[in-house]
Amino acid sequence: MTQPPRRRMTARAIADELRAQIRNHALKPGDTLPTSRELAAQFDVTPKTVGAGIDILKAEGLVIGEQGGRRRVRADRPIVWNLTRFERGSRRDSAAGDDWSTAIRDAGREPAQHVTVHLAPADRRIASWLQIPEGTEVAQRVRLRTVDGQPYQLATSSFPMAIAEGTPLLEERDVSMPGGILASIGHPQHKVKDEISIRMPDPKETEELQLPPGTPVAEHVRIGYGDSGPVRVMVTIAPGDRHRLVYELEV
């Protein structure tokens, strides 16, 4: 009896097969995928179909492309970002690094922060968070945070000029002081409010954080309150593949 012809694999089916190999660690983080020609022979399809299947995995953030046409299983090492401990209680800021940098070093990783400072009118969101009129000038410290040389966070802190003027907040360098800069200049934070949203990055965030296609980000907003109202709002963009956000709450 004549056997019916074998059904040709689709790009989606190839993506499903490779995804399963990644999930069960037959293809491990950092492994190079077989070439398009090898996969085409394995699945009995054209290299074009293989490329379409791999593009699906790239969009899902499971595979990254490299120079020379190689494709590799993504091998990012996520950090645990404990937002309950971050900037709370007995801060670990010192001349060697702020609370964030200290936590990264404690995890056996190497942190760095690349800082730019500028003055800007407060947009609608910043004005709402800081409880000031829209368009009021604020000081902004923009920090590209790296771990082991790779971009991990883009953090923008905005301060009312009445707080920032004449202080280290306007210095374009990685400034850290025991207890935090705000406490050191006489404006300690007594409580914070967090807002977290998950979204796709904009083109600038994609470029600065070197995000592969299909990588979502968490936007973490922390508003710090002093004696008479907000003293700072920090908006941190954290790639979803490089972070585990942790909260510890008493119930």
Side-chain angles (χ1 to χ4, degrees):
M1 182 176 179
T2 302
Q3 294 292 327
R6 190 174 73 170
R7 186 175 180 181
R8 186 173 292 274
M9 292 279 283
T10 64
R12 175 63 65 180
I14 291 170
D16 291 343
E17 172 63 28
L18 294 175
R19 186 189 304 106
Q21 293 181 33
I22 293 171
R23 298 298 191 202
N24 65 24
H25 291 281
L27 285 170
K28 299 179 177 59
D31 280 357
T32 301
L33 267 62
T35 66
S36 292
R37 181 175 297 180
E38 291 169 338
L39 289 172
Q42 176 184 337
F43 293 117
D44 192 22
V45 297
T46 65
K48 183 178 179 180
T49 301
V50 168
I54 291 176
D55 284 345
I56 293 172
L57 299 180
K58 287 182 178 179
E60 294 175 358
L62 293 175
V63 169
I64 58 174
E66 297 182 337
Q67 289 185 346
R70 293 173 301 182
R71 283 77 60 100
R72 191 179 299 274
V73 180
R74 179 181 283 180
D76 293 317
R77 295 171 58 202
I79 60 171
V80 176
W81 194 20
N82 192 312
L83 291 164
T84 309
R85 300 175 186 173
F86 179 52
E87 301 186 318
R88 181 177 180 182
S90 179
R91 291 178 55 125
R92 295 171 293 173
D93 305 76
S94 69
D98 63 10
D99 195 54
W100 181 86
S101 295
T102 302
I104 297 301
R105 287 196 180 93
D106 286 350
R109 313 285 293 274
E110 184 58 38
Q113 301 194 68
H114 311 275
V115 182
T116 58
V117 178
H118 61 271
L119 307 182
D123 62 20
R124 178 183 56 81
R125 294 205 307 167
I126 291 173
S128 174
W129 290 324
L130 291 179
Q131 299 175 14
I132 57 178
E134 187 173 348
T136 302
E137 189 174 60
V138 295
Q140 293 189 322
R141 293 180 60 82
V142 182
R143 284 169 289 176
L144 177 63
R145 292 170 168 163
T146 66
V147 179
D148 301 331
Q150 180 183 12
Y152 263 65
Q153 293 182 358
L154 186 62
T156 301
S157 296
S158 300
F159 306 87
M161 283 303 297
I163 290 176
E165 195 163 13
T167 74
L169 291 172
L170 296 183
E171 297 179 14
E172 201 162 68
R173 62 185 180 91
D174 186 7
V175 181
S176 58
M177 300 178 177
I181 301 177
L182 284 169
S184 298
I185 64 175
H187 296 280
Q189 299 175 102
H190 300 308
K191 69 173 184 177
V192 297
K193 174 184 176 182
D194 284 359
E195 300 176 7
I196 298 176
S197 57
I198 308 299
R199 58 174 175 80
M200 296 307 293
D202 63 32
K204 182 180 178 182
E205 293 163 349
T206 296
E207 179 181 1
E208 294 190 357
L209 292 168
Q210 300 175 17
L211 301 177
T215 305
V217 296
E219 180 181 273
H220 172 258
V221 178
R222 173 159 288 188
I223 309 163
Y225 296 85
D227 293 326
S228 56
V231 294
R232 180 203 68 171
V233 58
M234 178 169 60
V235 180
T236 303
I237 308 302
D241 61 327
R242 301 171 202 174
H243 291 79
R244 278 200 298 124
L245 306 184
V246 175
Y247 280 90
E248 299 173 2
L249 304 175
E250 294 183 3
V251 296

